[in-house]
Amino acid sequence: MDKEVVGKRSSGIASHIYPKRLPQMKAGPITDEMGFTLSERLALRQAWNLIRPFERRYGGDIFYGFLNDVYWGINKFKDNGKLNMKALHTHALRFFHFIGLLIEEKDPVVFQLMINENNLTHSRCKVGSDYIVNLADALVDYVLQVFHEISSPTLERGFRKIVEKLMSSTDQQPINTS
Ligand code: HEM
């Protein structure tokens, strides 16, 4: 008789004999489709509920602090050589708000679409992936520092995963500092 058939039959019989095989164990914490554990998700959502009222202030602190180091970035907000203050201030809020929207998004497809769309915008503006990740890192460091009293390793892991998601989706783009 065919070896494969014998194998199948015996495993069929084995399933009726006691003691039964234990179901395969999944080691480690269970993650959702986006790679977050339940506690990371919860920690991120709870933290963002506290952060949300300060979006404008924190967004400004982080983005303008970032531009102090990455000074060429300000050129991206110039129209015909003149600084577009409205666009600059709007970005300080929108980049921060965007991270909040990612945290709240439950659908993995929409989550990925949001990241792709954001990458497209920055490719068009010739903003390199490294800089997107640097700004996201600055946001995480800032928030963890401001909320150090309620911060936890779980919250930090959750935030670092958000940065990883931005990184893994942007690392095919060229770096451009012009
Ligand atoms: C975590 C990193 C970042 C996030 C989440 C983010 C988010 C956003 C969002 C939500 C928009 C608006 C998109 C739209 O209108 O459809 C935007 C536009 C833009 N971003 Fe970012 N951004 C990030 C990093 C950066 C960096 C590092 C720069 C360069 C200094 C930059 C430059 C721009 C520019 C030039 C625009 C277009 C602004 C305009 O149309 O007025 N972004 N970004």
Side-chain angles (χ1 to χ4, degrees):
M1 200 184 287
D2 193 311
K3 254 190 201 165
E4 208 182 324
V5 176
V6 172
K8 268 187 191 158
R9 277 211 188 138
S10 58
S11 70
I13 294 165
S15 69
H16 295 289
I17 299 172
Y18 285 86
K20 280 189 178 178
R21 274 199 201 137
L22 289 170
Q24 221 180 9
M25 289 274 283
K26 218 178 163 190
I30 295 169
T31 55
D32 66 15
E33 285 169 276
M34 288 175 264
F36 296 98
T37 64
L38 200 64
S39 45
E40 285 162 2
R41 274 259 168 231
L42 200 68
L44 283 171
R45 291 219 179 102
Q46 282 179 344
W48 209 263
N49 282 340
L50 297 173
I51 292 164
R52 195 176 294 107
F54 307 103
E55 272 186 346
R56 190 170 291 276
R57 190 171 119 204
Y58 294 169
D61 282 356
I62 299 161
F63 190 51
Y64 304 134
F66 170 85
L67 290 179
N68 269 338
D69 297 332
V70 185
Y71 58 90
W72 59 265
I74 207 142
N75 294 331
K76 299 292 172 191
F77 299 91
K78 284 185 180 169
D79 292 332
N80 301 318
K82 199 168 173 268
L83 189 60
N84 182 342
M85 292 299 282
K86 187 165 182 264
L88 189 74
H89 291 322
T90 305
H91 190 272
L93 174 65
R94 291 188 85 178
F95 102 88
F96 197 86
H97 185 70
F98 180 82
I99 303 295
L101 292 180
L102 282 183
I103 288 173
E104 279 154 23
E105 186 50 62
K106 292 190 184 85
D107 184 330
V109 177
V110 178
F111 183 93
Q112 196 52 52
L113 279 175
M114 286 165 69
I115 291 184
N116 293 353
E117 186 64 33
N118 189 53
N119 290 341
L120 269 178
T121 304
H122 293 90
S123 295
R124 263 189 252 117
C125 300
K126 295 194 166 59
V127 173
S129 53
D130 277 19
Y131 297 98
I132 296 182
V133 171
N134 286 351
L135 183 58
D137 265 331
L139 180 150
V140 173
D141 293 344
Y142 181 100
V143 165
L144 290 175
Q145 199 212 320
V146 169
F147 287 97
H148 65 95
E149 278 170 22
I150 53 142
S151 175
S152 66
T154 311
L155 178 65
E156 175 158 9
R157 251 193 338 267
F159 269 126
R160 299 289 173 210
K161 279 189 187 172
I162 298 258
V163 179
E164 266 172 40
K165 305 270 165 211
L166 287 168
M167 194 185 313
S168 57
S169 316
T170 56
D171 56 12
Q172 283 104 12
Q173 291 177 35
I175 295 166
N176 196 323
T177 55
S178 61

